[in-house]
Amino acid sequence: MLYGEDGPLALYCLYGLHYRGFAEVDDDWEWEPSLLAVRRRLETALLARLREEAGGAVGDVGDVGDVGDALREVIACAGGRSLPRRLATTGTLDQFREYAMHRSLLQLIEADPHTWAIPRLTGAPKAALVEIQADEYGYGVERDMHQNLFAVTLRALELDARPGSYLDRLPGHAFATVNVPSLFGLHRRLRGALVGHLALFEMTSVEPMGAYAAALRRLGLAAGARHFFEVHVVADAHHRTVAVRDLAETLVAQDPVLAADVVFGALATTAVEGHCAEAILTAWDEGLSSLSGQPPAPR
Ligand SMILES: [Fe+2]
Ligand SMILES: [Fe+2]
């Protein structure tokens, strides 16, 4: 297993202390030095793995030229099979539920990892990030927060929408998809990589979101279940421009040395998302569940 099983889960739990914490776990553990030391070791290993994979994908990212062109190049070179296309064409309802359980790790805290960057930016890139985040948080309307829209989808699929409900069912590569933005978000020195993560997501969102909505329509789910995806088809058509032109490019104009990290963040995101999608598709190809243990039971 590329990222292992115990390491990603342990790192996910350590990061959880910086978000909402855990029931019956004292909040003081967030800054406990012995836990921070463990976190440091796990992060060092994860970063080394990500840099290895990013280097292997496009060679030296030290001289990236125009960062917008470099990000588009990352996407053009990504390859890999399409999970949304599979779900839109032949996926079953149980497979969509499995996909939603995987995504629940990140979508139920959607936008939160990127918010860490706001106080770390200044000027134009900060304004661009706030513009995107305001939309992600529903412009202050709780019902419209994207993380809440995904909870609506989970409930429509008869799944538990409380964060962390499926930790014992998910494999290591699923935890890697959310650990990466948490890692980038919690370290100021990795703010360029966090911008690369966000830019990659916004640039590659519209078509997959449309495919997921199409899958739910084909499977007979009501409009409420599709709303999260349909909102993103519209929102991310705008966010992708803001993320590249107004965020990534202005950040690099301010601080050219961050260009390589922006591209690294996009490459790392492509790698972890690709591994997760491929593992899910491989399990389905073999007629298996992509989860551990028993099939998901309706709530
Ligand atoms: Fe969103
Ligand atoms: Fe977005």
Side-chain angles (χ1 to χ4, degrees), residues 51-119:
R51 292 209 183 275
E52 193 181 301
E53 290 199 52
V58 294
D60 183 11
V61 295
D63 179 17
V64 299
D66 180 274
V67 75
D69 287 344
L71 288 169
R72 285 183 278 275
E73 179 77 7
V74 169
I75 294 166
C77 296
R81 295 192 288 166
S82 171
L83 181 60
R85 199 172 307 135
R86 171 73 163 264
L87 283 170
T89 52
T90 60
T92 66
L93 182 56
D94 279 343
Q95 288 173 340
F96 200 102
R97 295 173 78 221
E98 288 187 17
Y99 152 76
M101 292 162 79
H102 279 77
R103 293 316 299 180
S104 67
L105 292 175
L106 184 58
Q107 305 307 158
L108 289 175
I109 61 164
E110 185 181 332
D112 292 344
H114 303 108
T115 299
W116 297 118
I118 292 175

Side-chain angles (χ1 to χ4, degrees), residues 107 110-111 135-136 146-147 202 209 228 231-232 235-236 239:
Q107 305 307 158
E110 185 181 332
D135 199 355
E136 304 293 349
H146 290 186
Q147 46 189 249
E202 300 293 1
M209 289 293 178
F228 170 86
V231 160
H232 280 88
D236 291 342
H239 291 175

Side-chain angles (χ1 to χ4, degrees), residues 5-37:
E5 291 295 329
D6 294 343
L9 177 58
L11 191 53
Y12 175 85
C13 292
L14 291 168
Y15 284 149
L17 295 169
H18 296 285
Y19 289 100
R20 299 170 187 177
F22 299 95
E24 298 175 39
V25 174
D26 194 312
D27 288 344
D28 214 30
W29 282 103
E30 180 182 5
W31 298 108
E32 160 59 34
S34 60
L35 284 190
L36 294 178

Side-chain angles (χ1 to χ4, degrees), residues 191-272:
R191 62 197 181 282
L194 186 68
V195 166
H197 181 279
L198 179 58
L200 192 285
F201 255 83
E202 300 293 1
M203 293 169 78
T204 58
S205 168
V206 172
E207 278 189 25
M209 289 293 178
Y212 291 129
L216 289 174
R217 201 175 301 114
R218 182 177 61 78
L219 293 167
L221 272 288
R226 305 193 302 264
H227 191 50
F228 170 86
F229 302 100
E230 289 169 346
V231 160
H232 280 88
V233 170
V234 177
D236 291 342
H238 177 56
H239 291 175
R240 64 185 171 192
T241 303
V242 178
V244 178
R245 184 193 63 196
D246 302 335
L247 174 56
E249 291 186 352
T250 63
L251 177 69
V252 170
Q254 276 182 353
D255 199 347
V257 79
L258 294 181
D261 271 354
V262 173
V263 177
F264 163 64
L267 285 168
T269 305
T270 302
V272 292

